[in-house]
Amino acid sequence: MACNSSGCESGGCYDREKENGSKIVEDAVVGVCVKCKCNEPKTFGDGGSDDGKFCAECFRNNVFGKFRLAVTSHAMITPSDNVLVAFSGGSSSRVALQFVHELQIKALKNYEASRDRSLPVFGVGVAFVDETAAFPALSMETIDAIDWIRSTVSNFSPPAKDLHVVPIESVFGSDSLDPRDRLVKLLDSVPDDTGKEDLLLHLKMLSLQKVAFENGYNRLVVGSCTSRIASHVLTATVKGRGYSLSADIQHVDARWNVPIVLPLRDCVRQEITRLCLLDGLKTVELACRSQSGINDLVSSFVALLQEENPSRECTIVRTAAKLTPFYFNKIPETDDSNVPMATQRRLKRFNLKYDGSMTTEAFCPICNGPKNRSDSSELDTFDESQESDALYAACCSSCRFQILPEDGSSLEQFGSFLPDHMISQVKHQKVHSQNDLREKIKDCLLLDDEEAV
Amino acid sequence: MEAKSKKAGGSRLCCLCNLRRPVLKRPKTLQQICRECFYEVFEEEIHQVIVQNRLFKSGERVAIGASGGKDSTVLAYVLSELNRRHNYGLDLFLLSIDEGITGYRDDSLETVKRNEVQYGLPLQIVSYKDLYGWTMDEIVKMIGLKNNCTFCGVFRRQALDRGAALLKVDKLVTGHNADDIAETVLLNILRGDIARLSRCTSITTGEDGPIPRCKPFKYTYEKEIVMYAYFKKLDYFSTECIYSPNAYRGFAREFIKDLERLRPRAILDIIKSGEDFRIATTTKMPEQGTCERCGYISSQKWCKACVLLEGLNRGLPKMGIGRPRGVNGDHRKETKKLASAAKSIESKQCGSLDF
Ligand SMILES: [Zn+2]
Ligand SMILES: [Zn+2]
Ligand SMILES: [Zn+2]
Ligand SMILES: [Zn+2]
Ligand SMILES: [Zn+2]
């Protein structure tokens, strides 16, 4: 059976070809690309089921096509946008950066070719979060990584891209006295290892949001691929975060100040890795801290499943995609006519179903996950004048368990270490709910402002 | 909860009663407690689940699916105890299915028969021969070992319902525990079955059908069930289904055990996630009709069991497994669904032959 397939490399075929006296290609690949039917297929030798079926060009077009479809069908990037790409140095965000760059080059060409020059070219910036404060042992590697990132970003062809190196402790704001120390104390007061890891991730997102907002970006591109999202689906499930899960895995997540978009959501890690190989894209992985918690256990579980069935990751993400998204899982509607008609039409075609009855009122101040009613109902039993109680009541049940310290006094201290942004969310939760309620009924309100109430 | 358990670590006394010496670490909470307190929290939690979810009404005739395995044995013991203690007013009895597997059922049925005497619960045995006209041994002889799990799953799933209908019960209770439900949640995510995902955490299912099924052990950890059986010296039978060569589900089971080791609460968290998933009501379940042949609930013209039986009786045992052929064959897609549905059922039942 294998002998009929174009990419067969087994010794049996090879020998037979030889005996037949037919011409042998250097790497023993026979046949042509199944897509274009003319180029020589590319063999990556990574054990993938489609390895050796497509030529390099068709493979690349396919991956880029998925990226572009995600971008256009969800209006992730429009001409007037200013886009910040979160770049960790890893392969996914490297590919995201590359693709966004290519999109920008195309937009530039179109701009220069068009007569009226009506569509501007969107801007691109790059952000790297420096986590040295949390991992002092990685300080040397991080310095090298930043040097490398700087040269990578400056080597892109114009338009030039700004690079923002963001120390993670910048979440505490510029007026914080010793932000590094505060970060260490904050992390140290989290008893659970997985909780600590997750808190750091939340802080990282917050610092990206901060730098994006302060520098006038209106989109944050995150390079999460299908494989990454599949792991997230399982970790969220295992942590009891089933309710908020559907908020995290959509193409667009606009619950933040600066909406997050995931253009590589439909590409698997193997494709990303191959693309890096093909394009000679260099990456840098900062030596991963030893993981021993839930997240790591899930990763190895997913790897095992993937071995058993190479399409498992996709199935997992497809399951989660059937969950009902939230009202904020789309680019907020603006009445700006900058969104081209074609995009508007496409958006209609991909129209996601929104169940109005399922919108939530409150978000967890730590993970920013929408809270289920069952989480909120427990709120009644606490005295909210007590600040630590208010924090406890405002958090989702998952953060309560794995991030908040257990006893009252350390909880109070923990609250004092948290970024002011998170704490202010606790205080303004009631105001937020009001706004969210308003959002739900706004089509029936006759006046635009609060005064009507 | 963890905080308490850590503090209890150094003390010499049970952290619940502060009177007796702790003899066990409670799997769900890691609290070190004495035997008496364990019995009490174990039983009380189940009682609370029954009360809060209004599982039963006084005067109902309730069949306990009894396989002789640990889950159903502990369930029978605890239910009859709670029924007495809290005056549920239930007419309880044990319902056992004899699949006709030589060597397997013989022993486990003996166990159930002993339970009948020990717990004072009447026992009714319904055999595959009664229900389907075939014993499991006969089926395996016909189809070989390879595809038997499709039969295992479909026949066993229906057997309890059919037996219950035969005996005119109001409700059927099964021993599915928290680990089973967590595993089902994961498996439904892994195989993309959103409809099953939406209802697999329901404590009662089939309320619209003739006989509702419920799971009083929904929040009860498997380890605690084993522990309860161990300390109470309950008589149960334990073996792997001799006709179950499947491996796939093993991953999920192993994963849950690893998780539990790392964070006992994870099992409950998975169930919570399963309850909280935002699933639009329209996607919940395909409309269910009844089988034209036997009247059992079915979304097809014929139910799965009838399709399989038709194949057996016509000497085409592969019918209904994988490739569509035969009566539902024109519904290509649906038949495929049948096969996958059968697979999803095999998940627990085939491993341990425990209801
Ligand atoms: Zn090609
Ligand atoms: Zn949270
Ligand atoms: Zn005690
Ligand atoms: Zn079986
Ligand atoms: Zn039927």
Side-chain angles (χ1 to χ4, degrees):
Chain A
M1 194 177 70
C3 295
N4 290 329
S5 74
S6 49
C8 178
E9 272 190 298
S10 73
C13 298
Y14 184 87
D15 290 343
R16 209 175 312 138
E17 297 267 351
K18 218 184 235 168
E19 280 160 33
N20 293 346
S22 59
K23 193 174 143 250
I24 292 160
V25 198
E26 217 172 42
D27 54 357
V29 169
V30 224
V32 292
C33 163
V34 295
K35 179 87 188 291
C36 63
K37 308 249 181 338
C38 71
N39 294 338
E40 185 188 313
K42 169 88 183 157
T43 304
F44 294 94
D46 54 12
S49 57
D50 61 343
D51 195 16
K53 284 196 180 142
F54 298 98
C55 69
E57 201 187 326
C58 289
F59 170 78
R60 193 178 198 290
N61 286 343
N62 178 40
V63 182
F64 185 76
K66 287 201 255 185
F67 164 84
R68 200 181 41 203
L69 180 67
V71 169
T72 53
S73 57
H74 298 273
M76 288 181 184
I77 303 175
T78 55
S80 55
D81 286 339
N82 198 18
V83 174
L84 183 66
V85 181
F87 184 37
S88 67
S91 50
S92 283
S93 57
R94 179 66 188 88
V95 169
L97 180 56
Q98 186 66 25
F99 282 176
V100 168
H101 169 68
E102 282 170 32
L103 220 53
Q104 193 190 26
I105 295 294
K106 270 181 199 153
L108 182 66
K109 272 190 192 145
N110 289 341
Y111 174 76
E112 284 165 348
S114 71
R115 215 165 303 153
D116 57 349
R117 309 217 155 173
S118 58
L119 293 180
V121 178
F122 65 89
V124 178
V126 182
F128 172 81
V129 180
D130 177 352
E131 294 176 84
T132 312
F135 305 104
L138 290 180
S139 60
M140 291 316 283
E141 287 167 85
T142 308
I143 290 169
D144 291 347
I146 292 172
D147 279 347
W148 171 81
I149 287 168
R150 222 175 270 289
S151 76
T152 306
V153 172
S154 62
N155 280 337
F156 276 116
S157 56
K161 295 164 182 59
D162 284 337
L163 173 66
H164 309 269
V165 174
V166 195
I168 185 136
E169 64 273 24
S170 70
V171 282
F172 297 117
S174 47
D175 51 346
S176 184
L177 281 175
D178 191 349
R180 279 191 165 224
D181 182 55
R182 186 167 165 183
L183 179 79
V184 171
K185 280 182 176 149
L186 177 65
L187 292 174
D188 280 349
S189 54
V190 178
D192 185 279
D193 281 345
T194 309
K196 203 175 291 191
E197 243 174 81
D198 289 359
L199 176 59
L200 196 64
L201 220 58
H202 302 321
L203 294 174
K204 201 169 164 181
M205 182 49 71
L206 215 55
S207 48
L208 283 168
Q209 282 292 326
K210 194 161 176 285
V211 71
F213 186 70
E214 287 171 356
N215 291 279
Y217 293 96
N218 70 336
R219 293 286 182 274
L220 180 61
V221 171
V222 174
S224 308
C225 62
T226 306
S227 317
R228 177 76 185 266
I229 294 169
S231 286
H232 180 79
V233 170
L234 293 184
T235 48
T237 303
V238 158
K239 291 170 192 165
R241 308 176 55 89
Y243 181 74
S244 60
L245 170 62
S246 62
D248 309 338
I249 54 149
Q250 308 296 329
H251 288 95
V252 175
D253 176 1
R255 84 188 100 157
W256 309 86
N257 248 336
V258 180
I260 295 170
V261 296
L262 308 179
L264 292 180
R265 179 184 177 274
D266 306 312
C267 305
V268 296
R269 183 167 293 130
Q270 191 173 58
E271 290 173 319
I272 302 285
T273 314
R274 285 177 179 183
L275 203 109
C276 286
L277 205 76
L278 208 60
D279 283 10
L281 300 179
K282 291 211 180 62
T283 58
V284 52
E285 303 279 357
L286 287 169
C288 251
R289 45 273 187 188
S290 69
Q291 288 188 324
S292 55
I294 302 280
N295 300 333
D296 189 47
L297 190 62
V298 170
S299 301
S300 29
F301 179 54
V302 173
L304 186 72
L305 292 169
Q306 191 65 11
E307 237 170 77
E308 177 249 4
N309 180 343
S311 61
R312 190 64 71 194
E313 294 170 342
C314 296
T315 314
I316 294 171
V317 175
R318 221 179 309 123
T319 316
K322 289 178 197 156
L323 302 176
T324 311
F326 288 80
Y327 64 89
F328 51 75
N329 285 127
K330 56 179 177 183
I331 295 295
E333 266 175 63
T334 48
D335 51 355
D336 86 352
S337 40
N338 281 331
V339 181
M341 273 312 285
T343 308
Q344 288 182 18
R345 246 177 283 124
R346 235 178 273 118
L347 274 176
K348 274 220 173 91
R349 187 149 55 85
F350 285 88
N351 196 14
L352 296 160
K353 262 187 291 166
Y354 294 97
D355 186 341
S357 66
M358 283 172 135
T359 53
T360 48
E361 289 103 44
F363 293 87
C364 169
I366 292 185
C367 67
N368 207 16
K371 287 201 300 173
N372 197 359
R373 290 200 184 91
S374 67
D375 284 337
S376 307
S377 64
E378 292 170 44
L379 210 135
D380 312 334
T381 52
F382 293 95
D383 175 13
E384 282 192 60
S385 59
Q386 202 76 20
E387 205 156 302
S388 60
D389 275 1
L391 174 63
Y392 185 90
C395 286
C396 71
S397 62
S398 177
C399 288
R400 279 180 201 167
F401 171 75
Q402 65 165 19
I403 294 181
L404 295 188
E406 286 134 355
D407 60 288
S409 60
S410 37
L411 182 58
E412 207 164 311
Q413 203 179 28
F414 175 84
S416 69
F417 295 144
L418 277 180
D420 305 340
H421 176 87
M422 285 180 174
I423 287 298
S424 68
Q425 237 188 306
V426 175
K427 287 173 185 154
H428 294 302
Q429 191 131 84
K430 289 220 167 92
V431 183
H432 274 286
S433 326
Q434 191 66 22
N435 286 341
D436 288 332
L437 289 177
R438 195 180 165 76
E439 176 74 20
K440 270 200 266 183
I441 53 169
K442 70 170 181 208
D443 52 332
C444 300
L445 297 179
L446 299 176
L447 293 175
D448 290 334
D449 51 6
E450 290 287 332
E451 283 163 50
V453 183
Chain B
M1 269 190 252
E2 275 201 336
K4 276 181 209 150
S5 67
K6 271 174 208 158
K7 275 172 219 151
S11 77
R12 292 278 156 81
L13 292 173
C14 162
C15 71
L16 289 180
C17 64
N18 255 314
L19 289 173
R20 292 172 288 259
R21 238 170 43 103
V23 294
L24 61 93
K25 198 165 71 185
R26 197 179 169 204
K28 202 174 197 169
T29 60
L30 304 180
Q31 291 167 307
Q32 305 204 356
I33 58 179
C34 69
R35 193 183 307 181
E36 287 77 2
C37 285
F38 173 65
Y39 295 154
E40 197 181 318
V41 290
F42 183 89
E43 292 159 6
E44 184 60 18
E45 269 183 22
I46 294 159
H47 172 60
Q48 285 308 324
V49 168
I50 290 171
V51 171
Q52 277 160 18
N53 295 280
R54 297 192 185 89
L55 293 190
F56 307 115
K57 286 199 229 28
S58 180
E60 278 181 332
R61 180 167 158 79
V62 177
I64 303 168
S67 64
K70 62 172 188 332
D71 295 330
S72 63
T73 300
V74 174
L75 180 65
Y77 179 88
V78 172
L79 262 192
S80 70
E81 191 64 37
L82 293 175
N83 190 29
R84 247 192 310 273
R85 191 182 302 161
H86 299 287
N87 295 315
Y88 291 165
L90 301 178
D91 174 15
L92 288 172
F93 70 96
L94 301 168
L95 169 58
S96 256
I97 304 297
D98 182 1
E99 290 94 341
I101 303 175
T102 318
Y104 177 82
R105 262 313 177 216
D106 304 349
D107 298 347
S108 60
L109 282 176
E110 282 312 310
T111 313
V112 183
K113 281 176 193 157
R114 278 198 301 277
N115 291 342
E116 176 185 19
V117 181
Q118 289 158 351
Y119 313 153
L121 293 170
L123 166 68
Q124 301 274 2
I125 300 174
V126 181
S127 74
Y128 268 28
K129 198 83 180 171
D130 296 337
L131 294 174
Y132 305 115
W134 290 75
T135 69
M136 203 55 211
D137 280 345
E138 286 166 356
I139 294 170
V140 171
K141 203 180 271 174
M142 180 83 170
I143 62 163
L145 271 171
K146 208 174 162 213
N147 279 318
N148 65 75
C149 274
T150 309
F151 287 87
C152 265
V154 172
F155 283 7
R156 183 170 305 113
R157 170 147 185 107
Q158 293 200 4
L160 269 184
D161 289 321
R162 285 167 191 266
L166 211 67
L167 300 168
K168 302 212 165 39
V169 310
D170 297 309
K171 236 159 235 169
L172 181 61
V173 294
T174 59
H176 289 97
N177 58 45
D179 300 50
D180 296 333
I181 294 168
E183 181 189 307
T184 313
V185 170
L186 287 180
L187 289 177
N188 283 329
I189 293 174
L190 299 187
R191 61 166 83 93
D193 194 335
I194 195 80
R196 271 168 216 287
L197 185 61
S198 77
R199 52 159 208 182
C200 69
T201 48
S202 310
I203 191 158
T204 305
T205 49
E207 276 159 306
D208 44 346
I211 300 161
R213 269 180 179 235
C214 58
K215 310 168 192 136
F217 280 173
K218 178 179 171 188
Y219 302 104
T220 309
Y221 281 28
E222 184 166 279
K223 256 193 183 159
E224 299 204 349
I225 293 172
V226 174
M227 207 170 245
Y228 190 87
Y230 171 80
F231 282 113
K232 286 264 180 188
K233 299 195 171 58
L234 296 185
D235 192 2
Y236 72 89
F237 178 79
S238 160
T239 189
E240 287 287 300
C241 165
I242 53 168
Y243 294 143
S244 77
N246 61 82
Y248 169 85
R249 65 169 215 101
F251 292 154
R253 201 71 177 174
E254 202 47 46
F255 174 60
I256 288 176
K257 290 278 166 249
D258 289 343
L259 272 177
E260 189 187 2
R261 231 165 280 141
L262 213 57
R263 180 186 282 188
R265 168 189 156 117
I267 292 176
L268 291 178
D269 275 340
I270 294 173
I271 298 175
K272 175 175 161 55
S273 283
E275 294 167 340
D276 289 354
F277 282 137
R278 290 158 50 95
I279 301 176
T281 36
T282 45
T283 53
K284 279 206 165 148
M285 242 2 228
E287 224 179 281
Q288 287 197 325
T290 49
C291 170
E292 279 183 13
R293 211 169 125 160
C294 70
Y296 187 79
I297 41 160
S298 168
S299 48
Q300 311 288 307
K301 204 166 121 192
W302 286 13
C303 74
K304 294 154 208 165
C306 284
V307 173
L308 293 172
L309 279 173
E310 175 70 9
L312 281 173
N313 294 331
R314 282 180 23 199
L316 300 168
K318 297 274 161 64
M319 198 159 94
I321 307 171
R323 278 291 140 73
R325 217 173 292 155
V327 66
N328 290 329
D330 36 341
H331 312 292
R332 212 156 214 287
K333 261 196 193 148
E334 275 100 334
T335 321
K336 250 194 193 156
K337 252 191 248 156
L338 279 189
S340 68
K343 223 191 259 164
S344 76
I345 294 154
E346 107 202 15
S347 147
K348 155 100 191 190
Q349 284 88 341
C350 279
S352 54
L353 268 190
D354 204 350
F355 296 116

